[in-house]
Amino acid sequence: GAGVSQSPSNKVTEKGKDVELRCDPISGHTALYWYRQSLGQGLEFLIYFQGNSAPDKSGLPSDRFSAERTGGSVSTLTIQRTQQEDSAVYLCASSLGGGASGNNEQFFGPGTRLTVL
Amino acid sequence: QQQVKQSPQSLIVQKGGISIINCAYENTAFDYFPWYQQFPGKGPALLIAIRPDVSEKKEGRFTISFNKSAKQFSLHIMDSQPGDSATYFCAAPSNTGKLIFGQGTTLQVKP
């Protein structure tokens, strides 16, 4: 497909379990972003990968959250020891390059809805 | 931490009316200000964007008005339609270039 894909689309887990969320960006896009959207809330920045540079992890809410991007393509967001407040939609976006400009439109995936019981 | 303040949080407009959403941002060295539209169950998608070397950009029924001195910009939806019902996010570039999103505005256009 031509767009950003994410899996799973829905994930229900028990408090304390670890979860992995996957993002497949658009081919050729060097920048990849993870956001969190809680019910009725805005888009909370989590982490940003740009090419081979060190990721910008400034938005990760705690050390239970981590993300990897392998081979400059697929990314996995891992949440360890999940808590109920982690329940949200996790969105991934990719762009051709990094930085905010008209050449770097962010294309979003459909998101993964995470529910922690 | 830089913030983007968006208002109103929700908006109800009659079909054919004008919808107006406002955003205020902090200092930035970058010059790209997009608006995103999100339908339920979908990810946000770029609607329209502006560079502040112009004060207004229009695409169809959607217009961005930009006031650089006030650090404010707004989205105007003319002749609002029920199909425009969605959540709208403004965004502004941080000092490092990544986008900071507003809290979102849920628009409902009544038939």
Side-chain angles (χ1 to χ4, degrees):
Chain A
V4 176
S5 60
Q6 293 186 245
S7 62
S9 55
N10 281 284
K11 176 71 176 178
V12 179
T13 190
E14 294 180 347
K15 177 182 173 181
K17 301 281 189 181
D18 298 351
V19 295
E20 287 189 351
L21 312 179
R22 177 186 169 106
C23 172
D24 284 83
I26 294 173
S27 178
H29 279 193
T30 64
L32 187 147
Y33 307 79
W34 283 98
Y35 296 90
R36 179 168 68 176
Q37 185 173 26
S38 302
L39 186 63
Q41 299 297 309
L43 300 172
E44 177 188 6
F45 166 78
L46 297 177
I47 188 169
Y48 160 46
F49 296 89
Q50 169 52 37
N52 296 321
S53 301
D56 177 348
K57 304 180 181 180
S58 60
L60 294 178
S62 77
D63 58 8
R64 297 187 294 106
F65 288 72
S66 62
E68 290 184 339
R69 188 178 186 192
T70 54
S73 181
V74 171
S75 178
T76 302
L77 177 69
T78 301
I79 308 173
Q80 295 179 310
R81 305 180 303 281
T82 52
Q83 304 294 311
Q84 288 183 332
E85 61 262 29
D86 299 334
S87 296
V89 175
Y90 289 83
L91 290 160
C92 173
S94 70
S95 63
L96 194 60
S101 77
N103 295 325
N104 294 330
E105 174 188 346
Q106 291 189 27
F107 293 84
F108 282 82
T112 293
R113 181 174 298 277
L114 174 66
T115 303
V116 182
L117 302 177
Chain B
Q1 184 162 342
Q2 286 181 285
Q3 291 185 338
V4 174
K5 296 182 179 179
Q6 182 174 345
S7 63
Q9 187 173 1
S10 62
L11 183 60
I12 300 175
V13 174
Q14 290 295 128
K15 179 181 174 181
I18 303 173
S19 304
I20 302 174
I21 305 170
N22 301 297
C23 277
Y25 66 96
E26 300 176 5
N27 285 328
T28 177
F30 294 85
D31 59 359
Y32 173 72
F33 296 82
W35 284 89
Y36 278 78
Q37 180 187 54
Q38 183 181 30
F39 293 106
K42 305 288 187 182
L46 180 67
L47 179 65
I48 185 173
I50 194 169
R51 292 173 60 103
D53 51 353
V54 297
S55 60
E56 185 176 284
K57 181 174 182 180
K58 184 176 181 179
E59 290 184 359
R61 296 184 294 107
F62 301 91
T63 299
I64 299 178
S65 296
F66 197 94
N67 185 333
K68 189 171 183 178
S69 61
K71 298 188 183 66
Q72 295 177 347
F73 59 112
S74 59
L75 175 69
H76 295 235
I77 306 174
M78 311 299 288
D79 187 26
S80 299
Q81 299 297 311
D84 297 331
S85 298
T87 300
Y88 292 82
F89 294 96
C90 63
S94 71
N95 283 330
T96 59
K98 65 176 183 277
L99 287 176
I100 306 296
F101 287 86
Q103 289 300 299
T105 296
T106 301
L107 171 65
Q108 181 183 359
V109 181
K110 290 193 169 182

